[in-house]
């Protein structure tokens, strides 16, 4: 049985802050990507390997609710949960915690499809990337 | 009567592209900010003036649906529409068109509150920033 | 005879500011890229066409001196000058002016080589991209 | 006696790559900032504490030579060395290694001044921030 991987964690960089003295909101979308790549690595499938197999996983939608502002040097951690996987589509949800302040800082979601890299047509991982397909399927069942 | 301002438009920068050869998805969130600031300028209230009056307008939520990939040097335009304004809360929707490809590239939304800049408590623009309040109210009625 | 193209110009975006309330210094390096691409377009050779011919122009060195801080919504303009061109190497210098403050805000330089995109070996534009070679040569002579 | 702190290290994020399939050059300037902040933390003086004391340390100059391209998911490490410190000015040099490729990827430098945060006039740390002054002095002697 697959265990939920450890959360992704790091400090806020100075260049991620803005004129309001807080982290600029667009960076949370980037953090979700960092956490997604870390999640894939920890469950055993590095995203770079998917691209090496000729499949890309672009973002088809993203959302974020900002609950608590974050500041330079704050430590945050992000938990990732798979919310949907069908072979042709993947959805993930994210919870971003400020370790420094002990609060939930933001919640987000991302959705993805899988494309053949060269010609950019949609593919089913079941057919094109069986290793990833089985791993993702196992994770999606786990989260039930 | 207030006319809808001209769309915001520019080219895609090279540094906005990623390893997939397309614009990285987090940049669309930044573009929405560019278009929001441009929108405010065009309707007659520069955001910097709001901050100069001691009020900030942080993002409380953001979402984007990616419909059509964009590439380096593509020209895009963004239309902004006010979808909600109450004095304490503001919501905007965005349509991002690829002029180069003649398609709708993405659709997004952002929501905002208004805070007193120093102590970060929520304020009603009606009380703290009457000029902005009346302008925003006029715009929100216009869009009906 | 080739005329020096019009400077590149735009406003500072909100997301380019940082916790100090000024433009984060790394953005000037990005602005130099924006100005470089604009410069190439204005002299008649779009960088995207070079990549379409299978040649990339990576940065081999960059430097910037920061003279005068810039802020959100400031208007800047950038002049670009070719300082060296040999067919295998290109150097450019940049002067970034704050139109808002009427001052020289920064000065920078970038150097570049030309690589065959797929196998990443250095090429001479004279052999691989004659159109660009002749245009760049003309510009480099002009600046004498 | 002060020991040289451990290098700063992390993986390349996906959003740091560009259309050439390599890390965009402006990110190295950001990485130097990450490494600088990490360096200060490791020698015992957190940059945030300097700002809390009302002093900011803006960048007055930056340069980078790019030697070896880096890619998504590569692991890099950065060593930081103090090259000049006078109380009113600070210079640092950086060596960025690709752990993945076992090569020196880039070398850079940054120079800084110290300003009183509110009125933005130059200060001598000896007078305004004695704790930092003595620590930096110790480090600059160490590196001889």
């Amino acid at each position: 049985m697959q265990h939920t991987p450890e959360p992704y964690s790091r400090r806020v960089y100075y260049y991620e802050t803005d004129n309001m003295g807080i982290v600029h909101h667009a960076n949370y979308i980037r953090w979700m990507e960092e956490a997604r790549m870390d999640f894939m690595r920890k469950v055993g499938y590095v995203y770079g390997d998917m691209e090496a197999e000729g499949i890309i996983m672009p973002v088809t939608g993203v959302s974020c609710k900002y609950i608590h502002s974050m500041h330079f040097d704050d430590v945050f951690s992000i938990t990732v949960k798979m919310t949907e996987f069908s072979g042709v589509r993947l959805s993930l949800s994210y919870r971003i915690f400020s370790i420094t302040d002990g609060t939930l800082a933001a919640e987000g979601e991302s959705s993805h499809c899988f494309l053949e890299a060269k010609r950019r047509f949609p593919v089913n991982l079941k057919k094109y990337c069986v290793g990833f397909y089985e791993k993702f399927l196992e994770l999606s069942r786990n989260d039930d």
Side-chain angles (χ1 to χ4, degrees), chain A residues 12-138:
Chain A
V12 170
Y13 304 138
Y14 199 86
Y15 61 76
E16 294 179 320
T17 61
D18 69 14
N19 200 48
M20 291 185 201
I22 58 175
V23 172
H24 189 271
H25 63 281
N27 290 309
Y28 291 69
I29 309 300
R30 294 178 151 202
W31 295 355
M32 285 159 54
E33 181 180 273
E34 293 177 38
R36 182 165 64 245
M37 298 305 191
D38 181 71
F39 174 85
M40 289 182 67
R41 171 178 306 280
K42 283 172 179 163
V43 300
Y45 281 76
V46 176
Y47 175 68
D49 290 347
M50 187 184 280
E51 290 208 349
E53 292 188 41
I55 306 295
I56 58 174
M57 191 178 98
V59 176
T60 55
V62 80
S63 68
C64 189
K65 284 182 191 170
Y66 304 92
I67 298 160
H68 186 86
S69 295
M70 294 192 65
H71 303 85
F72 167 57
D73 233 16
D74 284 356
V75 178
F76 63 84
S77 77
I78 306 182
T79 58
V80 180
K81 195 170 135 76
M82 189 174 288
T83 53
E84 190 210 337
F85 177 66
S86 68
V88 299
R89 225 173 292 276
L90 168 69
S91 297
L92 300 163
S93 68
Y94 308 81
R95 305 192 84 202
I96 305 177
F97 296 92
S98 167
I99 302 298
T100 301
D101 290 335
T103 58
L104 178 64
E107 289 182 310
E109 293 179 322
S110 70
S111 49
H112 307 264
C113 65
F114 304 99
L115 299 181
E116 199 270 346
K118 275 189 190 153
R119 286 175 293 162
R120 306 279 153 134
F121 61 84
V123 298
N124 190 328
L125 279 200
K126 190 174 187 173
K127 204 170 159 188
Y128 281 79
C129 238
V130 179
F132 279 92
Y133 176 76
E134 289 178 352
K135 178 59 76 181
F136 282 173
L137 204 66
E138 185 188 341

